[in-house]
Amino acid sequence: MANTDEAREQLSNTFDFWDSVPRYSVSRQQMDKLVKEKGHLPLFETTFQYHKTPVTVQIQPVQVKTEVINKQTGEKTETINHYYPSASEELVEDALRKIATEQSTAFVDEDNKSFGVNFTLNQLRKELKRRGHTRSYQQIMLSLEIMANSRIRIEGDISLELSGKKFIGFFNELTTVSRKQLEADPNTKCRVVFNPWINRAIRELHYRQFNYGLMMSHKAQLSRWLHKQLALKYTFASLVHPFKMHYSTIKRDSGLLAAYGRERKAIEAVDEAFQELQDTGVLQSFKKEVVSGARGRIEDVVYVLTATMAFTSAMKAANKRLSINTENAKTSKLPVKNR
């Protein structure tokens, strides 16, 4: 079963466990507020559930020095900014994973059982731009630095050898270029080695093909998160088999609704995200079933989702691709690309 060149252009992979971790859930606005209150970013901790198992996530923030030049005097000063990885870093990671699906850019380090991608900043910038997320070279360099230096620890009874181990990077390794090198040649090669969670998922085939191009077209970060979750979980998609998602589950596992002071505003954000998925052709329709408690208080909302034919076809293709990779694994062949 082969994808056409046009279809392959839109495809990438989503990783079962790693893409369930709420690792990009704090906005820059929330960070600024925390820094103003505390003078720094504290260790970030949150919880979610993976196949009904509670999992704790801790993320160490990173400090980045930035040189600021006074345009009038030419004087140079350094400022230190504090960051957790957030929405911009998520977009950069997704773009790198897409570039890695191209045969000429991906590499395998057999000795260290790891996978990575060779790329240029120009290539990465073009990929983001054509997906509707224009970034400057400086913004991309900042995102790469944040991911290379932030540390994450994941703990839970999830039967994975990495659980509870020391903090690890969002990347195992990053080789990038200096500003002078970039100015001299925007096509100087950079290199990323993906972290152990992604490496393990690739080795054990815990990933699924999905419509990356469509996912990247969504404007809201929550819409992109929901699209990935549907690609991982709504594997039986059809017009006659709807899928249910609870607001409480979305709030707990995405981490993207914590900043809302009022529950109704957070629910409205989820409504808008599902509406975007409907507008972009992922969902045929969605219905809300409000669960009310005493005095009409909203205790939960159940969303009943019906997939489009296009999404259903994408899930069938992903199921077939996984089946092929599983058969290849039995004969020690490398996983096939999204072709």
Side-chain angles (χ1 to χ4, degrees):
M1 180 179 181
N3 295 309
T4 65
D5 289 342
E6 183 179 358
R8 188 164 59 247
E9 178 74 10
Q10 299 298 315
L11 297 175
S12 187
N13 297 305
T14 185
F15 297 93
D16 183 24
F17 180 74
W18 182 242
D19 283 334
S20 296
V21 178
R23 62 198 186 279
Y24 296 113
S25 60
V26 185
S27 70
R28 290 286 171 85
Q29 291 82 0
Q30 290 172 277
M31 293 180 216
D32 291 342
K33 183 178 179 181
L34 282 169
V35 171
K36 286 179 181 178
E37 292 175 352
K38 300 177 180 294
H40 67 282
L41 289 180
L43 179 71
F44 174 74
E45 184 170 313
T46 189
T47 59
F48 72 104
Q49 286 194 13
Y50 177 69
H51 297 308
K52 299 183 180 181
T53 299
V55 181
T56 299
V57 180
Q58 294 178 322
I59 298 175
Q60 293 177 340
V62 61
Q63 295 183 3
V64 178
K65 288 184 179 180
T66 304
E67 188 178 82
V68 179
I69 302 177
N70 188 308
K71 292 182 180 180
Q72 294 181 336
T73 65
E75 183 182 356
K76 296 180 181 179
T77 58
E78 281 189 346
T79 62
I80 298 178
N81 296 307
H82 305 250
Y83 299 98
Y84 301 118
S86 59
S88 286
E89 288 66 59
E90 184 172 27
L91 291 168
V92 168
E93 183 191 322
D94 282 326
L96 284 173
R97 281 159 45 171
K98 170 58 181 173
I99 293 171
T101 65
E102 300 170 13
Q103 190 74 41
S104 61
T105 61
F107 64 84
V108 181
D109 183 340
E110 295 288 0
D111 292 335
N112 296 313
K113 296 182 180 179
S114 60
F115 301 81
V117 58
N118 294 309
F119 65 99
T120 69
L121 294 179
N122 192 39
Q123 182 183 20
L124 180 53
R125 188 181 183 211
K126 285 182 176 179
E127 174 60 26
L128 288 164
K129 183 177 180 179
R130 70 181 179 135
R131 303 300 178 181
H133 302 285
T134 300
R135 295 291 187 276
S136 68
Y137 286 116
Q138 290 72 28
Q139 289 172 323
I140 290 172
M141 289 286 285
L142 175 60
S143 287
L144 290 171
E145 185 173 356
I146 290 170
M147 283 188 284
N149 292 291
S150 297
R151 294 290 181 267
I152 185 170
R153 179 164 65 193
I154 303 171
E155 298 179 286
D157 186 17
I158 46 181
S159 301
L160 295 174
E161 63 187 19
L162 297 169
S163 177
K165 290 201 172 184
K166 63 182 181 179
F167 284 90
I168 63 171
F170 281 60
F171 295 145
N172 251 21
E173 176 189 325
L174 169 66
T175 305
T176 186
V177 297
S178 68
R179 184 184 292 271
K180 287 185 178 179
Q181 289 174 310
L182 180 61
E183 291 173 351
D185 182 7
N187 292 311
T188 302
K189 287 289 185 182
C190 303
R191 168 188 171 102
V192 156
V193 178
F194 295 120
N195 70 38
W197 294 103
I198 290 182
N199 292 331
R200 181 178 179 132
I202 293 174
R203 292 197 308 270
E204 299 185 359
L205 304 179
H206 291 163
Y207 62 91
R208 287 180 61 83
Q209 173 184 292
F210 82 120
N211 193 329
Y212 153 89
L214 182 56
M215 183 276 296
M216 289 288 276
S217 75
H218 305 322
K219 295 179 180 179
Q221 185 183 9
L222 182 58
S223 301
R224 297 192 293 270
W225 183 86
L226 287 168
H227 189 157
K228 284 184 183 177
Q229 292 304 300
L230 290 172
L232 287 168
K233 297 173 182 176
Y234 196 5
T235 58
F236 54 90
S238 75
L239 294 175
V240 296
H241 293 102
F243 185 72
K244 291 185 177 181
M245 293 188 80
H246 290 245
Y247 163 77
S248 57
T249 301
I250 296 168
K251 181 179 180 180
R252 180 194 66 209
D253 293 347
S254 74
L256 295 172
L257 302 173
Y260 289 92
R262 297 175 56 200
E263 204 79 73
R264 289 185 182 275
K265 285 292 183 181
I267 293 170
E268 286 176 11
V270 177
D271 293 348
E272 291 169 3
F274 279 128
Q275 185 61 57
E276 184 172 18
L277 294 186
Q278 183 173 318
D279 293 342
T280 54
V282 176
L283 297 178
Q284 181 72 32
S285 64
F286 70 95
K287 298 178 181 179
K288 290 173 59 177
E289 298 175 356
V290 177
V291 181
S292 299
R295 299 181 180 179
R297 179 185 177 86
I298 297 176
E299 294 187 346
D300 207 347
V301 179
V302 181
Y303 292 89
V304 183
L305 316 174
T306 303
T308 59
M309 285 298 296
F311 184 81
T312 297
S313 297
M315 289 298 95
K316 289 180 178 178
N319 293 341
K320 180 64 175 178
R321 183 65 52 202
L322 181 59
S323 176
I324 293 172
N325 280 338
T326 302
E327 287 301 313
N328 285 345
K330 292 178 181 178
T331 56
S332 300
K333 295 179 181 179
L334 288 175
V336 297
K337 299 288 183 179
N338 295 319
R339 60 174 183 267

